[in-house]
Amino acid sequence: MFQRGEPERGGHLLARINTVAEQLDDEWYIAAARLTSGIDASRNGSTRRARHHAETARAGFVSAGDRWGELQALDLLAGLDEMEGSYQRARAAREDMAGIAEELGMRDVHAYQVVKIGNLLGLSEELDAALRFLRNARDLGRQLGKPNTVAYANNGLGLVLRRAGHAHDALVHHEAALRHYRGISSHAGSAFTCAAIGLASVTGGDTGTAYSWHMRSLHDAARTRDRRAVALALEGLALTVYETEKVATLLAAARELRERAGAPRPHGEIPEVDRVEAGLGEPEALMAGDARERVRAWAADIEGIAGRVKRPLGDSSAYRVAM
């Protein structure tokens, strides 16, 4: 991965990789170069370009007979589908990936894709099927000695159980996942799981606790420099505060961050946030001028965003948005 602050050098290197691939006139090298370009485009929020490169890469790997390469291209395509809310298409790609992994004897990859499929079933509101897939994946992860897969499945189970209204059971699974991510010092895993615990706490009616968890999520998300992770924490915080302008500011900042990442939040991904946004209308219209400036400042300052957000919120732990 290229370091932040080196986009030009990274861009030149990608161009060089593609030039060399074309000169070699080898379909495998060309496919690999396109996949590299697609991953880079996705990280930079250029999702349309990422999809084009991923589709080209997949076709090249299929032509070259490289099933492992095809699996990598499918992974990028499935991720792009999920980001835009095309859950059925993402699920089809994940099912293809699971089949390839099984064919290649990659049992750990197969188990991980079963988690992904379970998560997608949850997003499609097929909750019973989602629970079956996720429990199966968790069991496979345990059998294989893959704690990352177990933690990922536990988070998936928590998300589905929250959707089904079982907040306490959801918390049990998320807390198990959090112990793992903290044990391996994964800021990305911790950021997501803290946000999930916050959402489950809101579902259970404990918004004061939810506020604390979303602030923890925000601190960890800022350390990852992942705009989508920061946006998730801000959306969670918006569920815990009462004042309309503060809610609007948080949601507008989250929207700005997701758009900069090239991945607006699909409708239905977080139903609680959808309901709050529907009640507000357009968040930007409810903000004063200084709040609009704040949104732009937050979106531009990923690393310092946690400290910036807390000051204007004040002590919001006792507030709650009517849902």
Side-chain angles (χ1 to χ4, degrees):
M1 184 186 298
F2 302 113
Q3 296 298 309
R4 192 177 182 187
E6 299 182 288
E8 185 175 357
R9 195 164 74 189
H12 283 318
L13 181 56
L14 282 173
R16 177 65 177 158
I17 290 170
N18 279 282
T19 298
V20 170
E22 297 287 357
Q23 289 172 346
L24 290 170
D25 194 26
D26 182 288
E27 61 185 357
W28 187 92
Y29 280 102
I30 293 172
R34 295 295 182 269
L35 179 61
T36 302
S37 295
I39 293 170
D40 184 70
S42 177
R43 288 172 177 164
N44 291 318
S46 302
T47 53
R48 183 176 298 179
R49 188 158 54 91
R51 183 176 296 281
H52 170 72
H53 286 312
E55 288 172 345
T56 303
R58 183 189 182 188
F61 285 128
V62 169
S63 180
D66 183 350
R67 296 289 271 167
W68 185 87
E70 183 185 356
L71 189 148
Q72 306 307 308
L74 278 168
D75 187 43
L76 179 54
L77 286 167
L80 293 167
D81 288 334
E82 184 174 345
M83 282 195 297
E84 68 179 37
S86 300
Y87 300 136
Q88 296 298 327
R89 193 163 62 184
R91 179 179 160 190
R94 296 290 176 197
E95 288 170 345
D96 286 346
M97 289 181 68
I100 293 172
E102 196 168 26
E103 173 190 322
L104 298 177
M106 302 167 69
R107 297 180 66 201
D108 54 337
V109 176
H110 175 266
Y112 205 73
Q113 294 311 310
V114 175
V115 179
K116 294 276 192 181
I117 294 167
N119 288 338
L120 289 162
L121 286 164
L123 289 167
S124 300
E125 297 294 336
E126 298 175 62
L127 303 187
D128 289 340
L131 290 172
R132 286 197 302 273
F133 270 78
L134 289 163
R135 286 169 179 150
N136 181 36
R138 184 186 57 187
D139 292 344
L140 287 171
R142 286 171 175 164
Q143 291 167 19
L144 295 169
K146 295 293 181 180
N148 272 334
T149 302
V150 175
Y152 192 33
N154 270 323
N155 265 340
L157 286 165
L159 295 174
V160 174
L161 289 165
R162 188 191 91 243
R163 281 177 177 265
H166 304 300
H168 175 74
D169 292 338
L171 285 169
V172 171
H173 287 85
H174 290 314
E175 287 163 359
L178 185 60
R179 286 193 292 273
H180 168 72
Y181 290 126
R182 284 185 169 167
I184 63 172
S185 300
S186 169
H187 296 305
S190 178
F192 179 83
T193 309
C194 286
I197 292 174
L199 291 171
S201 297
V202 168
T203 300
D206 189 352
T207 52
T209 297
Y211 174 83
S212 298
W213 281 109
H214 286 302
M215 285 304 302
R216 292 178 205 178
S217 173
L218 184 58
H219 280 278
D220 280 333
R223 297 177 74 174
T224 71
R225 301 179 184 176
D226 184 337
R227 288 185 173 88
R228 294 177 68 206
V230 173
L232 176 61
L234 294 179
E235 288 158 350
L237 280 171
L239 299 175
T240 70
V241 300
Y242 178 77
E243 296 96 325
T244 299
E245 186 171 311
K246 289 180 180 179
V247 177
T249 301
L250 289 164
L251 292 179
R255 181 183 296 181
E256 176 76 13
L257 285 161
R258 287 184 181 275
E259 287 177 353
R260 289 188 184 204
R265 190 186 77 255
H267 183 79
E269 185 177 80
I270 313 176
E272 300 90 336
V273 176
D274 290 342
R275 288 195 289 271
V276 171
E277 280 191 329
L280 287 178
E282 286 296 319
E284 291 85 348
L286 300 173
M287 295 187 297
D290 61 332
R292 294 190 185 94
E293 289 300 319
R294 194 178 297 139
V295 163
R296 285 189 282 270
W298 289 353
D301 184 19
I302 298 295
E303 292 173 295
I305 196 170
R308 283 174 169 267
V309 167
K310 193 165 186 178
R311 287 193 294 272
L313 286 184
D315 181 12
S316 301
S317 58
Y319 300 146
R320 182 182 181 184
V321 173
M323 291 168 53

